Amino acid sequence: MKFMLTGGRPLKGSVDVSGAKNAVLPIMAAAMLTGDEVVLEDVPDLLDVTTMRGVLEMMGARIERAGHSLRIQAPAVLDIEAPYELISKMRASIVIMGPVLRRAGHIRIPPPGGCAIGSRPINWHLKGLEALGARITMDHGFLDARAERLRGARIYLDFPSVGATENIMMAAVCAEGDTILENAAQEPEIVDLANFLNEMGGRIRGAGTSVIQIKGVKTLTGTTHCIIPDRIEAGSFILMAAACGGDVLVRNVIPAHLASLLAKLQEMGVSFQEEDDGIRIWGDGRLRAVDIKTQTHPGFPTDLQAPALALLTRAEGTSVITETVFENRFMHVEELRRMGADIRIEGRSAIVCGQERLSAATLTASDLRAGAALVLAALTAEGTSEIRNVHHIDRGYEGMELKLRGLGAAIRRAPDGEQPGGEAAAPAAAERGARLCLLPR
Ligand code: EPZ
């Protein structure tokens, strides 16, 4: 599927941000730590949620979805081998290692491998689980991890890895004794996971700081938990509103989660204000060039680097964007250049010379955040752009085209076979199904 998008319109109205993809995925995995029923609210309708649901169901969980609520119950881990075809689709599923290791004492999982933005090793995940008592070997292409008992330990992370922090927290929450995790990731999604585990009876302190203290407990019970808003989806819409001009209220936002983005918007000269239920952005789309360097939280989030870079192709002046978290996260630059953007890469930095307007083009999304960057660029470009491989966007943005249409954008989803301006080729049945419902009801 692709998006057809005609640019040049201001955005007006309000848009609701969904629950956070990067919070709900580890929390769904954490639900495997108890045999009780867990209810999650504000669960976004995303391909990645569907994939994680498939992984957990194949390992023994019963999961029902009703709107944005998910009921999960894992009476027992029926199969300790994670399904290869699903793990390879979504590397984030590696976070089931901690919970299943704790629950079943054994898990076999294929190493998730790399993706468009980098090689994505998991060495710090494995080092942390081994420190807690796991024995991990490679067996016929599967990581084979066993642990009759998990014991608390003092663990130092060489880098504040989000996934490694989550895996270690979920393995340590029911370990025997206390765990101290130093140089831990501080992202809001870590705090949401820790809050969820504490609601289940866990004893975790310090989440959101670089030192997390975990007192092991014997069992965890079911709970109902509301997922935090998705700060990256919110930031993506805020950047789109700044790029197009108009007057947009982005609702269901926790401003403290976006402090670094808001500080950069101020430097750019973008008009915005915090309101009771969100952040309002207005203006004529003009903005000043700024320098951005991605960092771990609370620094500027790497997941907003691509849309921010696309915005800065329109700024007055030259911006330098430096990506310090992933080694290959400038895949969107080549596509933006095809729209006329003036960008050159030097090492880990992109130097962007801003200009008045980009021109529409046929574009290809390489990953979900690069896809968001291409949508932002197409919204401001002269003419009608096609953005292909929108399944990448569907992994992390719930109904992006519907939300943007609600703001007045001229965007629609179309089958790949549709010619620009021509009739839509009859979509295959599978495509029709894919278009109407991302999740099995
Ligand atoms: C999480 O990925 C997010 N994904 C990413 O969001 C996000 O970009 C990233 O954190 C950084 O904030 C989810 O939460 C599902 P890391 P994760 O471990 O956990 C290297 C999106 O667009 N590393 O903090 O994989 C790694 O290669 C996605 O929503 C090791 O070398 O990120 C990377 O360069 C993309 N060894 C850096 O650390 C390890 O054992 C940060 O990775 C682990 C990581």
Side-chain angles (χ1 to χ4, degrees):
M1 297 295 276
K2 62 186 177 184
F3 284 159
M4 303 296 283
L5 206 167
T6 302
R9 297 187 184 190
L11 298 180
K12 291 191 185 335
S14 59
V15 61
D16 289 326
V17 172
S18 303
K21 167 178 86 79
N22 293 347
V24 72
L25 295 176
I27 286 173
M28 287 173 72
M32 297 293 279
L33 284 164
T34 178
D36 295 353
E37 181 179 77
V38 163
V39 178
L40 302 179
E41 306 288 357
D42 270 9
V43 174
D45 187 353
L46 301 173
L47 286 183
D48 275 7
V49 171
T50 306
T51 303
M52 180 62 88
R53 172 178 179 172
V55 171
L56 299 183
E57 286 177 331
M58 288 180 80
M59 299 189 80
R62 286 198 300 269
I63 301 180
E64 288 165 25
R65 177 161 199 134
H68 287 101
S69 293
L70 215 51
R71 285 178 181 279
I72 303 175
Q73 183 147 26
V77 175
L78 303 178
D79 185 345
I80 55 95
E81 185 159 300
Y84 180 87
E85 65 283 358
L86 291 178
I87 301 295
S88 53
K89 263 174 77 174
M90 183 185 67
R91 59 174 317 287
S93 24
I94 192 68
V95 293
I96 66 169
M97 277 192 87
V100 173
L101 199 52
R102 156 60 196 160
R103 190 75 192 280
H106 185 194
I107 180 170
R108 290 172 55 79
I109 183 168
C115 66
I117 62 177
S119 59
R120 313 293 294 271
I122 56 169
N123 52 314
W124 298 325
H125 295 244
L126 305 184
K127 174 186 165 190
L129 296 176
E130 285 170 338
L132 294 167
R135 294 182 317 286
I136 304 174
T137 56
M138 184 66 85
D139 171 43
H140 292 90
F142 278 76
L143 285 165
D144 188 289
R146 298 167 187 260
E148 288 72 39
R149 293 170 60 205
L150 288 165
R151 284 181 300 280
R154 188 178 195 97
I155 300 167
Y156 175 82
L157 283 177
D158 297 336
F159 178 90
S161 154
V162 170
T165 299
E166 293 164 346
N167 239 334
I168 293 165
M169 260 192 347
M170 291 190 279
V173 67
C174 291
E176 292 166 23
D178 298 351
T179 294
I180 304 267
L181 180 54
E182 294 176 307
N183 198 27
Q186 305 178 46
E187 276 69 6
E189 293 75 26
I190 302 286
V191 177
D192 204 27
L193 174 62
N195 289 340
F196 173 68
L197 292 170
N198 285 342
E199 288 156 18
M200 295 171 79
R203 297 180 62 192
I204 300 173
R205 290 177 41 231
T209 75
S210 62
V211 180
I212 298 178
Q213 298 177 16
I214 303 166
K215 285 191 172 306
V217 296
K218 286 205 179 312
T219 55
L220 295 176
T221 58
T223 187
T224 295
H225 179 81
C226 190
I227 302 296
I228 57 169
D230 193 317
R231 62 191 170 102
I232 305 301
E233 183 193 19
S236 303
F237 282 121
I238 288 169
L239 289 161
M240 290 173 190
C244 297
D247 192 336
V248 173
L249 174 63
V250 179
R251 287 192 302 221
N252 193 28
V253 175
I254 299 174
H257 290 175
L258 286 165
S260 57
L261 172 66
L262 299 179
K264 284 297 168 185
L265 288 180
Q266 198 145 19
E267 280 183 51
M268 293 178 200
V270 173
S271 302
F272 66 90
Q273 71 184 20
E274 292 180 23
E275 310 225 335
D276 292 345
D277 58 347
I279 291 177
R280 181 174 158 243
I281 307 98
W282 67 94
D284 59 7
R286 282 185 305 163
L287 44 100
R288 295 190 291 268
V290 295
D291 292 346
I292 290 177
K293 182 175 184 180
T294 66
Q295 314 256 10
T296 56
H297 196 75
F300 192 92
T302 173
D303 293 345
L304 288 179
Q305 179 260 105
L309 191 155
L311 171 68
L312 290 167
T313 63
R314 303 268 332 281
E316 290 159 18
T318 299
S319 305
V320 179
I321 295 98
T322 304
E323 172 58 56
T324 70
V325 178
F326 288 101
E327 69 265 28
N328 185 35
R329 205 168 196 177
F330 285 132
M331 306 280 281
H332 41 291
V333 167
E334 202 45 50
E335 294 299 285
L336 294 172
R337 281 195 186 121
R338 295 180 54 242
M339 300 176 80
D342 178 353
I343 309 169
R344 70 177 190 280
I345 302 290
E346 285 183 6
R348 301 200 74 158
S349 294
I351 291 92
V352 181
C353 299
Q355 61 206 54
E356 190 50 39
R357 201 166 279 285
L358 300 179
S359 59
T362 297
L363 306 162
T364 303
S366 54
D367 66 270
L368 71 161
R369 308 307 176 186
L374 300 184
V375 168
L376 184 149
L379 283 169
T380 67
E382 288 289 348
T384 299
S385 298
E386 279 189 32
I387 299 173
R388 295 175 177 275
N389 288 358
V390 295
H391 59 275
H392 287 299
I393 296 176
D394 292 335
R395 289 190 54 183
Y397 292 92
E398 181 176 353
M400 180 186 271
E401 80 277 17
L402 304 176
K403 293 188 179 184
L404 285 172
R405 267 222 297 278
L407 295 174
I411 179 172
R412 65 186 174 83
R413 187 181 290 258
D416 285 337
E418 182 178 293
Q419 298 310 312
E423 283 306 304
E431 254 192 351
R432 271 200 299 277
R435 188 174 18 210
L436 296 178
C437 171
L438 292 175
L439 279 174
R441 294 292 169 199

